[in-house]
Amino acid sequence: MPRYLSGWLKEVVQLSLNKPRTGRNRERPVYSLSRVITLAKASGVTPVIAEFKRASPSGFSQERDLNSYAKFMEDNGAVALSVLTEQKFFRGSYNDLYNASSIVKIPVLMKDFVVTESQIEDAFQLGADAVLLIVRLLTRRELCGLITFAHTFGLEALVEVHDESDLEIAQACGAQLIGLNSRDLETLKVNLENPLKLLEKVRKSIKVVESGIRTKQDISLFKEKGADAFLIGTTLMQEPSRIKELISA
């Protein structure tokens, strides 16, 4: 069982534990998230993972056409697409993931509260190339096991951390992609100082900064501290055309 949780996190994890299976079969090859990040950096482009989300518990709400958004991001330089599949708090769905992965030929990240192997298997069948694993939700044994299970499908795991304790666990499990989230999961407040402090402590992993990125200046600051890529949702959902500006940072 996942770690002891309370509030909305407890509820969302309980929903994850009881999530219905997809019943689909994968229809596309697996694309490597770490590879496209590395290639983009080598070519002088800032690697941006563009996120599609309709809502969040922080109060964000935005309706957009998934198909046109996904294609626009691919055509305008996003290295990958992140798709929220949690239904109650983020208004996402497995159908969103399936539709997005059917449209683009860049890596797709399933962003959800993954706590079971069946969710990872569903992610693969729906066309995802990577899954988000949040250290705060899992015991060390569970995290290590889910990373290994994802790898059996050829999927990568973006392992999300919020503090040094999370980072220690992620690195002990051999996480190759580490997401440093500036948003506190309980208070939902954003503090960009948090990932700035953690960046220098990450060893031998690709470092992805999540949440709160709004400007080229934000990106430049994080790149100076060693960030490799950026997962950007709210800013791009509100103004999709800003992808061109942000990848040039």
Side-chain angles (χ1 to χ4, degrees), residues 35-187:
R35 182 174 183 271
V36 296
I37 290 172
T38 301
L39 289 175
K41 283 188 66 181
S43 67
V45 173
T46 295
V48 171
I49 303 167
E51 183 160 274
F52 182 84
K53 61 179 181 180
R54 295 187 178 85
S56 79
S58 64
F60 171 82
S61 180
Q62 181 76 56
E63 284 296 336
R64 287 200 178 277
D65 178 72
L66 168 63
N67 293 5
S68 59
Y69 180 88
K71 193 60 182 170
F72 181 85
M73 290 302 159
E74 179 181 34
D75 291 345
N76 286 277
V79 298
L81 192 69
S82 168
V83 180
L84 261 297
T85 55
E86 197 283 322
Q87 186 170 5
K88 180 169 184 179
F89 294 96
F90 293 86
R91 300 209 306 266
S93 70
Y94 275 174
N95 280 338
D96 286 342
L97 177 61
Y98 176 77
N99 290 337
S101 66
S102 300
I103 293 165
V104 300
K105 294 182 179 179
I106 55 177
V108 177
L109 167 73
M110 185 179 90
K111 195 172 183 190
D112 206 325
F113 297 81
V114 175
V115 292
T116 67
E117 291 184 348
S118 62
Q119 287 174 278
I120 292 175
E121 186 172 356
D122 283 341
F124 172 78
Q125 299 294 3
L126 290 161
D129 307 287
V131 293
L132 183 75
L133 297 176
I134 303 173
V135 177
R136 190 65 53 87
L137 306 183
L138 303 162
T139 66
R140 181 181 301 219
R141 182 177 180 180
E142 287 168 341
L143 176 65
C144 293
L146 289 176
I147 291 173
T148 299
F149 188 75
H151 289 169
T152 65
F153 289 91
L155 303 185
E156 294 177 295
L158 176 60
V159 181
E160 181 175 298
V161 304
H162 295 82
D163 56 28
E164 288 189 42
S165 176
D166 287 352
L167 180 57
E168 179 185 345
I169 293 171
Q171 294 189 142
C173 289
Q176 298 165 350
L177 281 160
I178 291 183
L180 303 108
N181 199 333
S182 60
R183 189 182 300 280
D184 185 283
L185 283 178
E186 295 180 357
T187 67

Side-chain angles (χ1 to χ4, degrees), residues 40-41 44-49 77-79 219 223 228-230 246-249:
K41 283 188 66 181
V45 173
T46 295
V48 171
I49 303 167
V79 298
I219 289 176
K223 286 174 76 173
D228 298 302
F230 302 85
L246 297 174
I247 66 172
S248 69

